[in-house]
Amino acid sequence: MRPETTIPVVRQIPTNRADVFAFTIEGHLTSADIENVYGLLEGAYEQHDKIDLLVRLDGYEGFDWNAAFKDTTLSMQTRSLKHIRRYAIVGGPTWIHMSAGLLKPFLSIEMKTFDSAEEAEAWKWIGAEAVKE
């Protein structure tokens, strides 16, 4: 019997700028995954007052709704708004693109969505590149 290997749902993408953070999300986000992402972002805010963020959603399968509305998650979301300059969302289901469009007028950050085929444009928009490890 082979041990099963699990691929992390959230993986950080190395970038060529210290103040740009990028993640790829594949699969279903659990409460632990959401807290992990916000933990990584909290570390980024300690080093940089403002950051740019790119999230790639290829293979995204949704998230635990209960986790999204926990007090700690809501607090982390609010804190993030103070530190993010630009937020690029690449890929994902149509409802995410529609939700982002509805939220844009109410947020202090610049947010833009891109189809998966437009990922190069998303990187250009935030002014960074992914680097190979």
Side-chain angles (χ1 to χ4, degrees), residues 35-75:
E35 288 180 21
N36 179 40
V37 168
Y38 281 114
L40 291 169
L41 291 175
E42 288 288 327
Y45 307 149
E46 295 290 324
Q47 297 174 16
H48 309 280
D49 184 49
K50 295 285 187 180
I51 66 167
D52 294 322
L53 178 65
L54 182 141
V55 176
R56 181 191 306 147
L57 298 171
D58 288 338
Y60 172 75
E61 296 173 0
F63 62 93
D64 291 342
W65 284 92
N66 292 336
F69 297 105
K70 285 176 30 180
D71 288 342
T72 54
T73 304
L74 292 173
S75 172

Side-chain angles (χ1 to χ4, degrees), residues 59-121:
Y60 172 75
E61 296 173 0
F63 62 93
D64 291 342
W65 284 92
N66 292 336
F69 297 105
K70 285 176 30 180
D71 288 342
T72 54
T73 304
L74 292 173
S75 172
M76 289 184 278
Q77 289 171 345
T78 301
R79 181 164 156 79
S80 289
L81 293 176
K82 298 174 188 174
H83 294 281
I84 297 175
R85 272 185 306 255
R86 284 191 161 188
Y87 179 20
I89 301 169
V90 179
T94 303
W95 70 265
I96 288 181
H97 294 258
M98 291 173 55
S99 297
L102 291 172
L103 289 173
K104 273 181 15 177
F106 304 103
L107 300 175
S108 61
I109 64 175
E110 292 182 67
M111 183 175 14
K112 193 168 180 181
T113 61
F114 299 85
D115 291 330
S116 293
E118 301 172 317
E119 184 172 343
E121 292 173 45

